[in-house]
Amino acid sequence: MRLSKIDPRTPPEPSRPRRAVAASASPTPSRRVFLLSATAAAAAVAAGLVPRLVRPAQADDARRASAPEQFEVAYSDAEWRKRLTPGQYEILRQEGTERPYSSPLNDEHRAGTFACAGCALPLFSSRTKFDSHTGWPSFWTPLAHAVGTRSDTTFGMVRTEVHCRRCGGHLGHVFDDGPKPTGLRYCMNGLAMTFNPQAA
């Protein structure tokens, strides 16, 4: 019989793995998809589609970093220190924050205008002031062309910083929990402003 020719003590010859044979014969679908995707991505880069999606944001960031804001009223740091009290300097030029309920302007209820303590630009009308119960003078809108804003990411938060449009002095922050009609709360440091009462 043929079976008698096989020695049972001899182990069978190992068979070649089928996957290895299949891989060497032709590309698998996953490899084909990968090659097509890589080719498409390379074509998109060559055509300029990807740079158009990425470059504007990078260019804007670089432009902002290299070109600081220019203000109509600008003094050296030494000059600002001469013109302002230590408290005003800390807030307006170093973006500090006064203690809540420490400013007399929080309790100012007369008719008049709140102006920048750095350059005297009128910032807010008393008609837009309200009691936010936060301890800082609060307004639901500034006067036209009075303030500027920028993103503030200090202390691990994303806030909107408010500064004087003319001298760049830091005033405070604006939040979206204010009253109607704007729904905004311009939370200002009293030391950053002066008050000019309205003539009777």
Side-chain angles (χ1 to χ4, degrees):
M1 292 177 60
R2 292 181 180 177
L3 292 175
S4 63
K5 293 181 180 178
I6 300 174
D7 186 349
R9 294 173 295 177
T10 306
E13 183 180 342
S15 60
R16 293 177 62 189
R18 291 188 180 185
R19 286 184 184 173
V21 174
S24 61
S26 64
T28 62
S30 60
R31 184 176 173 192
R32 220 176 276 126
V33 170
F34 173 78
L35 291 173
L36 289 173
S37 300
T39 303
V45 171
L49 296 177
V50 174
R52 271 198 287 274
L53 296 174
V54 175
R55 280 183 190 157
Q58 293 174 340
D60 289 345
D61 290 344
R63 201 176 301 121
R64 279 193 285 268
S66 61
E69 287 182 82
Q70 300 294 319
F71 297 103
E72 296 171 37
V73 175
Y75 299 109
S76 67
D77 186 66
E79 185 63 25
W80 278 120
R81 285 181 182 274
K82 290 179 184 176
R83 291 173 170 269
L84 303 171
T85 67
Q88 289 173 329
Y89 175 84
E90 173 65 23
I91 290 169
L92 286 166
R93 309 317 306 177
Q94 299 295 309
E95 299 189 5
T97 301
E98 68 191 8
R99 287 182 296 103
Y101 298 102
S102 64
S103 172
L105 294 187
N106 187 52
D107 297 317
E108 180 58 72
H109 302 295
R110 293 175 293 171
T113 304
F114 296 82
C116 174
C119 69
L121 178 71
L123 302 172
F124 297 93
S125 166
S126 60
R127 291 190 300 273
T128 65
K129 189 173 186 287
F130 69 98
D131 188 357
S132 64
H133 304 287
T134 61
W136 290 281
S138 300
F139 308 84
W140 48 264
T141 193
L143 294 172
H145 311 295
V147 304
T149 61
R150 59 181 157 241
S151 180
D152 177 6
T153 57
T154 56
F155 305 113
M157 299 180 285
V158 179
R159 299 178 294 171
T160 301
E161 185 267 353
V162 180
H163 56 270
C164 173
R165 188 264 308 160
R166 187 159 65 182
C167 73
H170 171 72
L171 303 171
H173 294 84
V174 59
F175 303 94
D176 60 1
D177 58 0
K180 294 179 179 180
T182 64
L184 298 175
R185 172 173 57 95
Y186 284 81
C187 190
M188 304 291 97
N189 287 285
L191 277 173
M193 301 182 295
T194 58
F195 178 70
N196 302 312
Q198 184 176 318

